[in-house]
């Protein structure tokens, strides 16, 4: 505890000693134990209670693609893959197998990534069994020094990495590959993308892979991070010392050099067009000095940047709300660029490809800020919002997940980001923001780089069309026009009206029930609304709400369907009551309260979140969302313009063509499955959308509201009586209906040949009748996850045919009982048919033999661990309460899921495969590249 006061004493001296204080280094959070072994390995240890009974381990290597030699391009990333394919103590896939048996998921709890300058391995483990944690430490030790590099596993993994590379290929990657050499001009960054060279991946000899590992996986470049729910930090530290002190550095270690990004006096350009781009974009980048970190002064500069760019981006957003918006979207910011520079960026997505209109408006806004500065009210709201967010983070300190701390300490090890802790940061922010005035913020903006030096201009647009490709000279001309544009002075209008005036007269709670087993209150209100409320202590200041009423857009006529599904887009952007979206945002400064409406297939309703102290505001927003939708024709015109710009080039996208082909094959020309296009947009009817919204929400008496979180029951009850019990009720009885849009039955095949990349996208779906029940639906879920395990093993690990497989499946209860299951993946085009056949053969085998006991237990253990974690989370309870109420099950069933998990047998899952992956109604869809003829004959 003494250390806690020491750090605040240090903060006080920093805030009180002017420039001398600003030079002080920020001390680390006293809750962290930071140390360095004699061999140079750094470690971070922190006790953290959330999630309970879990620990997050990370091994961080200060080596990535920049450390690769010319003949090693991609091997840093390849070694990351090999870490899961065998070590001295764990053969082949035993690492993944061990984690899955412990109830962890590959990807969610076991993962890694490689970047330009680092490789990070992430492991989350349950801590109730000391043997599991010990095995976790052994895995990390082996990653650090004992990968086996089995030649057979190397050759198998080459295909997986190639397929990872293939899965990323597309128009965005093509454009990026051309822009990177310009943006990173003269540096190694442009030549060492982490994914690497597929020529190298496919042909690199084993010894060159091992060379990289031995050169760079060494203790003086390693950081070990352990954060989690354990009792004894000393024990963790002793385990680190015992396991990692024996690691040795090479006798002649290679120097890890800083990669410089050189200056250039002239502006560099990248002007790209592509036949698959669907919109045009324009960016200006300025290479600036490194954003230094570590001192109080650096922290103050960080706050200044965040405030300035936050204010500027707010201005850009306001322009998109105009009746004739000048651009689709725009943003500005400053980020780190390698270890020696930062990058100031200004980017805009052009509306209808109109370069001059978009760029001049965008840069004109920057020029207006530079000339006249921001308004005092803008700055004060930004400060209030920032401090409120920081204070809420401090209030939730004990509930922050271990992974968040682990990520922060990873950044500290890699980049020197200070780790003083949220309590110290709140104090710093309060003090510094109080001293940052409008003149200083405006001066900061004017100090940002301008002109030709170190400037990069990127332009990308769809190929063809009416607009010509601009030259470098034309881009410079447009930039000059924007810089010289003189806009009218900005008016910071803030409504002085009350949010809701008058307040509604209270109704009453006419029936009360307390469900003791689940600690849930249920109230029936005088207007018929049902409220279900569960107070929790999972978060100190989080209240979540969802609500639903049966019907949805299933009850509108087919020719009103488009108006129904676009109603929320139109009305949510229109604001509520007397307030536009911008007005509302300004009025809610410093408050944590938000409510949105939805109209779905079978239900309409609201969702939202609130702080306990802002509940009154939250309930006023509920009232306004339901009773005072706002149709703003300027906002509608803006939405329509932006949507039109996005869809006009939609059919340039191979993915869009593929999705449309599948929809056409399954649903034909059913009016509820028309694709968004220019014709549909031209027929939008905002008045009809408003009328449908009012009809769906005119009767609140059949609503169910669910609240979960840190509320006081009596306080919530008072708000419910005033704001919910007073809502109108017409005693209308409704239920969602089936509209005849069931997918085509039988065997359907969809083959599309579109796209420039050498890859195929596969989708296989099964549909059919089903009897819905909790048990049947859970059997589908288990079958789905068993199949996911097996297809990963077969298609990825054994055949090296794909980077990953997605498996879906479930049973619908409303409006009719049907099942839908399937799987999908990307692969080399010539292998698509064979991989589909292999997957179908595995499904056939599972129908006969069922799952192995090992795989079934993996799935059940994963569900058990996830369930135990979920029971201590507000979001889980909100979802479970809502679904249980809709399905008219007993609330106590939420507490009995482990019985459901245990009841599942291999025979039940075999039967699930037989029933729910039935071959009678099957779709096979393949997206091939353009010109791929062999499979189309």
């Amino acid at each position: 505890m003494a250390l806690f006061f020491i750090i605040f004493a240090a903060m006080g001296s920093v805030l009180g000693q002017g420039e001398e204080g600003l030079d002080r280094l920020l001390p680390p959070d006293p809750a962290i134990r930071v140390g360095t072994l004699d061999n140079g390995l750094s470690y971070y240890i922190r006790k953290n209670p959330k999630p309970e009974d879990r620990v997050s381990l990370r091994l961080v290597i200060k080596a990535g693609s920049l450390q690769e030699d010319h003949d090693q391009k991609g091997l840093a990333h390849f070694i990351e893959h090999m870490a899961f394919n065998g070590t001295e103590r764990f053969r082949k896939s035993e690492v993944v197998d061990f984690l899955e048996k412990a109830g962890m998921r590959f990807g969610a709890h076991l993962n890694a990534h490689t970047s330009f300058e680092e490789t990070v391995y992430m492991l989350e483990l349950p801590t109730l069994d000391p043997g599991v944690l010990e095995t976790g430490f052994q895995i990390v030790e082996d990653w650090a020094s004992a990968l086996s590099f089995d030649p057979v596993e190397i050759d198998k993994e080459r295909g997986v990495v190639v397929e990872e590379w293939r899965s990323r290929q597309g128009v965005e990657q093509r454009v990026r590959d051309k822009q990177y050499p310009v943006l990173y001009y003269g540096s190694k960054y442009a030549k060492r993308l982490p994914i690497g060279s597929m020529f190298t991946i496919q042909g690199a000899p084993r010894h060159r892979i091992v060379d990289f590992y031995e050169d760079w996986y060494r203790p003086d470049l390693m950081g070990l991070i352990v954060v989690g729910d354990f009792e004894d930090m000393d024990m963790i530290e002793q385990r680190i010392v015992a396991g990692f002190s024996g690691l040795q550095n090479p006798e002649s270690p290679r120097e890890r050099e800083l990669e410089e990004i050189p200056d250039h006096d002239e502006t560099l350009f990248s002007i790209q067009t592509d036949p698959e781009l669907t919109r045009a974009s324009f960016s200006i980048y300025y290479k600036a000095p490194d954003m230094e970190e570590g001192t109080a002064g650096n922290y103050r500069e960080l706050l200044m940047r965040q405030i300035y760019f936050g204010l500027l981006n707010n201005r850009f957003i306001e322009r998109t709300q105009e009746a004739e918006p000048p651009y689709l979207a725009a943003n500005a910011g400053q980020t780190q660029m390698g270890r020696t520079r930062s990058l100031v960026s200004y980017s805009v997505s052009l509306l209808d490809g109109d370069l001059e209109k978009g760029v001049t408006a965008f840069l004109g806004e920057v020029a207006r800020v530079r000339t006249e500065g921001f308004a005092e009210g803008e700055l004060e709201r930004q400060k209030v919002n920032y401090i409120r967010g920081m204070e809420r983070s401090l209030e939730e300190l004990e509930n922050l997940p271990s992974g968040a701390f682990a990520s922060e300490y990873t950044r500290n090890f890699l980049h020197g980001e200070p780790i003083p802790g949220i309590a110290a940061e709140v104090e710093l922010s309060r003090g510094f923001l109080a001293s940052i005035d409008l003149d200083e913020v405006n001066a900061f903006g004017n100090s940002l780089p301008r002109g030709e030096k170190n400037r990069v201009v990127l332009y990308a647009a769809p190929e063809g069309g009416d607009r010509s490709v601009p030259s470098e000279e034309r881009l410079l001309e447009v930039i000059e026009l924007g810089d010289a544009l003189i806009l009218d002075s900005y008016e910071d209008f803030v409504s002085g009206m009350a949010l809701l005036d008058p307040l509604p007269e209270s109704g009453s709670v006419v029936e009360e029930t307390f469900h003791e087993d689940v600690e849930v209150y249920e109230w029936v209100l005088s207007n018929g609304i049902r409220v279900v409320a569960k107070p929790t202590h999972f978060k100190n200041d989080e209240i979540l709400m969802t609500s639903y009423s049966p019907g949805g857009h299933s009850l509108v006529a087919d020719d009103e369907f488009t108006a129904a599904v676009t109603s929320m887009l139109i009305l949510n952007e229109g604001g509520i009551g007397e307030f536009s979206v911008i007005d509302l945002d300004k009025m809610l400064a410093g408050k944590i309260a938000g409510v949105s409406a939805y109209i779905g297939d079978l239900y309409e309703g609201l969702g939202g979140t609130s702080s306990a102290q802002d509940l009154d505001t939250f309930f006023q927003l509920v009232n306004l969302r339901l009773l005072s939708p706002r149709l703003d024709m300027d906002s509608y015109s803006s939405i329509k313009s932006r949507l039109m710009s996005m869809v006009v080039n939609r059919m340039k996208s191979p993915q869009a063509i593929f999705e449309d082909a599948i929809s056409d094959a399954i649903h034909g020309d059913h009016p509820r499955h028309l694709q968004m296009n220019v014709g549909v947009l031209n027929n939008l009817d905002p008045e009809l959308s408003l009328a449908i919204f009012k009809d769906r929400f005119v009767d609140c008496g059949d609503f169910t509201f669910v609240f979960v979180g840190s509320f006081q029951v009596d306080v919530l009850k008072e708000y419910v009586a005033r704001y919910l019990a007073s809502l109108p009720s017409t005693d209308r009885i409704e239920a969602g209906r089936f509209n005849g849009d069931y997918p085509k039955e039988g065997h359907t095949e969809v083959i599309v040949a579109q796209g420039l990349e050498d890859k195929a996208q596969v989708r296989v779906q099964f549909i059919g009748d089903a009897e819905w029940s909790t048990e049947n639906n859970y059997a589908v879920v288990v079958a789905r996850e068993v199949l996911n395990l097996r297809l990963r093993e077969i298609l990825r690990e054994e055949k090296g045919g794909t980077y990953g497989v997605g498996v879906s499946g479930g049973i619908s209860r409303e409006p009719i009982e049907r099942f839908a299951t399937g799987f999908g993946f990307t692969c080399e085009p010539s292998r698509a048919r064979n991989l589909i056949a292999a997957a179908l053969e595995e499904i056939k085998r599972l129908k006969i033999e069922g799952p192995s006991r090992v795989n079934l237990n993996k799935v059940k253990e994963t569900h058990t661990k996830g369930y135990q974690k979920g029971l201590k989370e507000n979001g889980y309870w909100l979802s479970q309460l809502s679904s249980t109420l809709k399905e008219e099950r007993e609330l106590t069933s939420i507490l009995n899921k482990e019985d459901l998990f245990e009841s599942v047998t291999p025979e039940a899952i075999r039967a699930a495969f037989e029933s729910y992956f039935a071959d009678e109604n099957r779709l096979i869809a393949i997206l091939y590249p353009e010109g791929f003829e062999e499979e189309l004959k």
Side-chain angles (χ1 to χ4, degrees), residues 653-675:
S653 165
Q655 186 65 41
I657 295 171
F658 186 48
E659 296 293 342
D660 287 0
I662 293 174
S663 180
D664 289 344
I666 295 176
H667 297 290
D669 59 356
H670 195 285
R672 291 176 183 263
H673 294 276
L674 298 177
Q675 305 304 317

Side-chain angles (χ1 to χ4, degrees), residues 41-52:
L41 183 143
S42 301
Y43 60 85
Y44 302 71
I45 307 170
R46 182 190 182 110
K47 292 171 61 175
N48 188 60
K50 293 296 177 75
E52 292 183 19

Side-chain angles (χ1 to χ4, degrees), residues 572-852:
N572 280 339
E573 290 225 5
I576 51 176
E578 299 297 321
F579 311 107
S580 70
V581 168
I582 300 301
D583 294 337
L584 197 61
D585 185 64
K586 292 178 179 180
M587 292 182 67
L588 297 177
K591 296 184 181 297
I592 297 174
V595 179
S596 61
Y598 71 89
I599 300 178
D601 290 344
L602 302 171
Y603 295 92
E604 63 272 353
L606 302 177
T609 183
S610 178
S611 166
Q613 72 184 64
D614 296 319
L615 265 179
D616 190 59
T617 298
F618 173 82
F619 274 97
Q620 290 186 41
L621 292 173
V622 168
N623 186 289
L624 288 167
R625 283 287 178 206
L626 287 169
L627 303 183
S628 302
R630 185 175 188 268
L631 178 57
D632 183 317
M633 292 309 294
D634 284 349
S635 174
Y636 167 71
S637 296
S638 173
I639 292 166
K640 185 174 179 179
S641 295
R642 285 179 279 148
L643 286 174
M644 193 71 75
S645 181
M646 287 188 282
V647 305
V648 70
N649 290 312
R650 180 174 176 273
M651 298 315 291
K652 289 178 176 288
S653 165
Q655 186 65 41
I657 295 171
F658 186 48
E659 296 293 342
D660 287 0
I662 293 174
S663 180
D664 289 344
I666 295 176
H667 297 290
D669 59 356
H670 195 285
R672 291 176 183 263
H673 294 276
L674 298 177
Q675 305 304 317
M676 188 64 74
N677 55 40
V678 172
V680 171
L681 289 178
N682 280 329
N683 290 321
L684 289 181
D685 186 340
E687 295 290 348
L688 179 57
S689 291
L690 177 61
I692 291 171
F693 178 92
K694 288 182 175 180
D695 176 71
R696 288 292 80 229
F697 290 93
V698 69
D699 177 18
C700 297
D702 62 352
F703 262 82
T704 296
F705 281 80
V706 182
F707 293 88
V708 178
S710 55
F711 54 81
Q712 296 180 31
V713 175
D714 290 344
V715 172
L716 182 71
K717 189 176 178 181
E718 289 181 14
Y719 284 123
V720 162
R722 174 177 288 278
Y723 291 103
L724 298 188
S726 59
L727 292 170
S729 174
T730 64
D731 297 322
R732 188 169 63 179
I733 299 175
E734 294 181 317
R737 71 183 180 190
F738 180 56
N739 284 285
D741 53 340
Y742 184 69
K744 177 183 176 182
E745 296 184 342
H747 282 196
T748 303
E749 188 166 280
V750 176
I751 304 297
V752 175
Q754 292 284 335
L756 302 179
E757 299 298 338
D758 183 34
K759 73 174 179 180
Q761 183 175 333
V762 167
R763 188 177 302 172
V764 178
Q765 296 177 354
F766 308 89
I767 59 168
D769 295 324
E771 180 180 345
W772 189 93
S773 70
T774 301
E775 293 75 18
N776 288 349
N777 192 54
Y778 182 63
V780 176
V781 171
V782 174
R784 177 185 75 199
E785 298 193 18
V786 166
L787 183 60
N788 190 69
L789 289 173
R790 288 296 296 142
L791 294 188
R792 188 190 74 211
E793 293 169 356
I794 294 168
L795 303 190
R796 172 177 164 141
E797 306 300 340
E798 294 178 14
K799 295 183 178 296
T802 184
Y803 178 56
V805 183
V807 182
S808 61
I811 301 177
S812 65
R813 187 179 66 93
E814 301 176 285
I816 57 174
E817 296 180 346
R818 306 288 290 188
F819 75 82
T821 59
F823 60 88
F825 54 85
T826 60
C827 65
E828 183 184 345
S830 63
R831 301 190 68 185
R833 293 284 187 182
N834 288 337
L835 293 174
I836 291 172
L840 293 177
E841 185 62 28
E842 176 59 20
I843 291 173
K844 182 178 178 181
R845 186 194 67 79
L846 287 165
K847 290 177 181 178
I848 298 170
E849 301 176 12
S852 69

Side-chain angles (χ1 to χ4, degrees), residues 278-300:
T278 59
R279 60 178 177 82
S281 61
F282 173 90
S283 300
I284 301 176
Y285 294 95
Y286 292 97
K287 297 169 187 175
D290 179 37
M291 295 187 294
E292 297 180 355
E293 297 185 283
T295 68
N298 297 150
Y299 193 88
R300 191 177 192 278

Side-chain angles (χ1 to χ4, degrees), residues 45-95:
I45 307 170
R46 182 190 182 110
K47 292 171 61 175
N48 188 60
K50 293 296 177 75
E52 292 183 19
D53 305 321
R54 299 278 183 95
V55 64
S56 180
L57 275 69
R58 297 198 182 182
L59 177 67
V60 186
I61 316 293
K62 286 184 178 179
S65 57
L66 286 182
Q67 281 64 55
E68 296 166 346
D69 295 331
H70 181 73
D71 65 340
Q72 292 178 316
K73 292 180 181 178
L75 296 192
H77 173 242
F78 189 81
I79 289 170
E80 173 213 309
H81 275 245
M82 292 305 301
F84 302 99
N85 283 348
T87 70
E88 287 185 2
R89 280 181 281 198
F90 301 90
R91 296 181 63 252
K92 297 185 179 180
S93 61
E94 286 182 1
V95 170

